[in-house]
């Protein structure tokens, strides 16, 4: 897999999403925001559950 994107890159593409949000909602929002494949791959690899904050998403991505 490509290099893991940093949390700031990921949050840039999730701007405006309402939390809690599940993995599919995060991926959908990132696609709408023009996220690159590196960010989309990172989001697709996190567990499919509800995330209650940007910090929770960043933690899940860094744990993969």
């Amino acid at each position: 897999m490509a290099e893991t994107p940093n949390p700031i890159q990921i949050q840039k593409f999730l701007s405006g999403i309402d939390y809690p949000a599940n993995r599919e909602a995060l991926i959908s929002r990132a696609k709408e925001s023009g996220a690159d494949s590196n960010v989309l791959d990172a989001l697709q690899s996190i567990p499919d559950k509800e995330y209650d904050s940007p910090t929770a998403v960043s933690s899940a991505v860094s744990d993969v």
Side-chain angles (χ1 to χ4, degrees):
M1 187 170 93
E3 174 183 327
T4 303
N6 73 46
I8 295 167
Q9 286 176 297
I10 294 171
Q11 295 309 319
K12 181 174 87 170
F13 294 114
L14 297 179
S15 175
I17 195 165
D18 291 326
Y19 290 94
N22 64 19
R23 182 178 67 186
E24 288 306 313
L26 296 170
I27 293 168
S28 177
R29 180 66 191 163
K31 283 180 181 174
E32 290 170 10
S33 298
D36 59 30
S37 61
N38 206 14
V39 170
L40 295 174
D41 288 346
L43 292 173
Q44 288 168 345
S45 67
I46 64 176
D48 189 12
K49 64 175 196 168
E50 292 278 311
Y51 293 91
D52 59 0
S53 68
T55 305
V57 175
S58 296
S59 293
V61 169
S62 66
D63 289 346
V64 171

